[in-house]
Amino acid sequence: MNAHLQPSGSAYFLTKDTNAVERHTLSVLVDNEPGILARIAGLFSARGFNIDSLTVSETEHEKGLSRITVVTVASPKVLTQIKLQLERLVPVHKVHDLTAEGNPLERELALVKVAGKGENRVETLRLADAFRAQVVDASTESFVFEITGKATKIEQFIALMVPLGMVEVVRTGLAAISRGPERM
């Protein structure tokens, strides 16, 4: 049962009426078939729900299943609506609110391009080492770093690279999984 659903004494549960928005990570197990991503994105778009991050990959090739990780910010009432509507989509097998289930493992990958010469290059490499970012491309005028970790770590790294000559960033979006031995 979802934490924000309260027993009302009837056959239905009532959602607390609060407008406070929360960030939630949803893991959606779907058939790996053409158009499923468009249907899920369309569900969010048609109802005005925002997607902060979206990651999709086939996870069980033999069964033809993919996992979609969606990060959204919504009030509990809207979040309940999102989950119920996702569960109604035909190729959706399961919807898990990893945030509500408790402390999921969340990681993201980013590639960060930084240009610079002289002392900035030394400082850039020193900070990259401190953040355990890997140099995946280097020239006499630029570096491309690969960094993985929590979104907050990546954001801190990016903020430090901006004054050192950051050129651009690409991010994968969040990949998340629940803790413990159970599978989705």
Side-chain angles (χ1 to χ4, degrees), residues 6-67:
Q6 301 298 314
S8 63
S10 74
Y12 300 100
F13 290 95
L14 298 176
T15 302
K16 280 188 203 173
D17 194 18
T18 175
N19 290 329
V21 293
E22 302 170 347
R23 179 183 176 273
H24 280 257
T25 303
L26 305 176
S27 187
V28 184
L29 191 63
V30 300
D31 285 338
N32 183 13
E33 64 181 42
I36 181 60
L37 181 59
R39 280 181 261 166
I40 289 178
L43 181 149
F44 277 79
S45 173
R47 287 147 184 93
F49 303 149
N50 189 35
I51 296 174
D52 279 1
S53 172
L54 178 67
T55 307
V56 183
S57 182
E58 185 176 62
T59 55
E60 297 181 48
H61 182 72
E62 306 81 38
K63 296 179 182 176
L65 297 176
S66 292
R67 188 179 294 216

